[in-house]
Amino acid sequence: MELSKAVSYHISQLLAEKNISSYRLSYKSAVPTSTLSHIMLCDGKSCNLSTIFNICRGFNISLSELFNSDLFSFENIDDND
């Protein structure tokens, strides 16, 4: 799986888990809804670490918590992303 798809999928999982909308996440993280939409659609590769950090803030989780998933194991990520 491409890294961008893994990030998108995991954010979707967290939205469902925490029962919040992407609009609410946008508000809580100060990440524009359009940026979240691009991330969720894996549209472009412009997502940077600062954006990911702010998304984590919106979820009230740490970066390590975000990436603590089998989705991000070396075996599951295609490094040609």
Side-chain angles (χ1 to χ4, degrees):
M1 175 181 293
E2 292 177 4
L3 183 56
S4 58
K5 287 183 182 175
V7 169
S8 171
Y9 183 76
H10 196 53
I11 289 172
S12 294
Q13 285 179 322
L14 289 169
L15 287 170
E17 214 174 272
K18 295 185 177 285
N19 196 29
I20 63 172
S21 67
S22 57
Y23 176 79
R24 181 77 177 145
L25 177 60
S26 173
Y27 175 78
K28 290 177 76 172
S29 65
V31 173
T33 54
S34 60
T35 300
L36 278 177
S37 293
H38 286 291
I39 292 168
M40 301 304 291
L41 296 171
C42 303
D43 183 23
K45 300 179 193 251
S46 61
C47 184
N48 59 41
L49 194 53
S50 178
T51 301
I52 294 296
F53 179 76
N54 285 327
I55 289 171
C56 288
R57 245 191 228 177
F59 280 127
N60 198 29
I61 62 173
S62 66
L63 284 167
S64 60
E65 288 175 282
L66 177 72
F67 291 111
N68 186 20
S69 168
D70 288 339
L71 286 170
F72 301 106
S73 68
F74 289 127
E75 299 83 31
N76 292 331
I77 298 296
D78 176 10
D79 64 355
N80 294 323
D81 187 26

